[in-house]
C-alpha cells in the first residue's frame, strides 16, 4: 500500500509505503492541546515506511521523549515519534492523508483522558453543511 499526504498549505508532503500497524483515535490531553481538537487520528508505521518528499517539518519536543513534527508555515500537525515508548515507529496524523478514508480507524486510545462529552458525540444532530443560523430555523 502507498499513501501520500501533507500539510494544509502544501509546503510539506510525505509518502507512506507498506501496511500500517494500526490506526488509533487518540484522546490524550497532549494530542488534544497540540491539535486544538477533541481527538487526533494516528496511523502507526515502521519509521522507514514514511518519507518526507517535500519541505522539512519543524520538530517540537512535546514531552521528554515525544517529538511532534509539523509545518512551520501553516501549523498542520503531521508526524509523531517517541524513541523511548515507540522505538523504530512513527505515527502519521491520518487526517493529513490525501485520502483520509483510505485507512479506517480501528480503536480509541487514551480514553482515560477523553473529554466527557466525546463519549456521546455520535448522538449529536448532524448537518450536511452548516446548521441554520440562530433565529432562522426555516
Amino acid at each position: 500500500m502507498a499513501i501520500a499526504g501533507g500539510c494544509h498549505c502544501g509546503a510539506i508532503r510525505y509518502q507512506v509505503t507498506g501496511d500500517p500497524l494500526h490506526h488509533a483515535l487518540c484522546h490524550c490531553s497532549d494530542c488534544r492541546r497540540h491539535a486544538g481538537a477533541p481527538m487526533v487520528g494516528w496511523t502507526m508505521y515502521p519509521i522507514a515506511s514514511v518519507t518526507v518528499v517535500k519541505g522539512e517539518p519543524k520538530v517540537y519536543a512535546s514531552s521528554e521523549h515525544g517529538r511532534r513534527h509539523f509545518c512551520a508555515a501553516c501549523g498542520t500537525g503531521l508526524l509523531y515519534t517517541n524513541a523511548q515508548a515507540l522505538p523504530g515507529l512513527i505515527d502519521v496524523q491520518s487526517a493529513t492523508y490525501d485520502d483520509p478514508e483510505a485507512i479506517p480507524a480501528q480503536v480509541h486510545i487514551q480514553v482515560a483522558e477523553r473529554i466527557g462529552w466525546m463519549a456521546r458525540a455520535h448522538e449529536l444532530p448532524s448537518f450536511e453543511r452548516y446548521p441554520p443560523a440562530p433565529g432562522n430555523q426555516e
Side-chain angles (χ1 to χ4, degrees):
M1 169 180 276
I3 193 164
C7 67
H8 187 264
C9 73
I12 309 288
R13 297 288 301 159
Y14 62 81
Q15 181 78 34
V16 180
T17 56
D19 294 328
L21 301 175
H22 67 81
H23 183 183
L25 302 177
C26 185
H27 294 268
C28 82
S29 60
D30 284 345
C31 284
R32 288 198 325 262
R33 292 184 62 85
H34 189 263
M39 69 181 167
V40 178
W42 294 105
T43 308
M44 184 178 284
Y45 297 90
I47 202 161
S49 296
V50 179
T51 305
V52 174
V53 295
K54 179 183 175 192
E56 185 172 333
K58 180 144 177 89
V59 179
Y60 168 62
S62 60
S63 65
E64 183 179 359
H65 301 285
R67 300 295 178 264
R68 295 179 184 274
H69 307 239
F70 66 97
C71 177
C74 68
T76 303
L78 298 164
L79 310 168
Y80 176 83
T81 57
N82 186 318
Q84 183 177 10
L86 305 168
L89 301 174
I90 189 166
D91 276 324
V92 176
Q93 207 159 322
S94 57
T96 66
Y97 292 144
D98 292 345
D99 179 7
E101 298 212 30
I103 303 168
Q106 301 163 313
V107 64
H108 289 267
I109 61 171
Q110 302 286 40
V111 294
E113 298 179 36
R114 177 173 55 196
I115 298 171
W117 51 260
M118 278 297 294
R120 300 183 65 176
H122 63 282
E123 297 174 9
L124 295 171
S126 297
F127 300 89
E128 287 292 318
R129 297 288 179 213
Y130 293 101
N136 185 14
Q137 302 297 319
E138 298 175 15

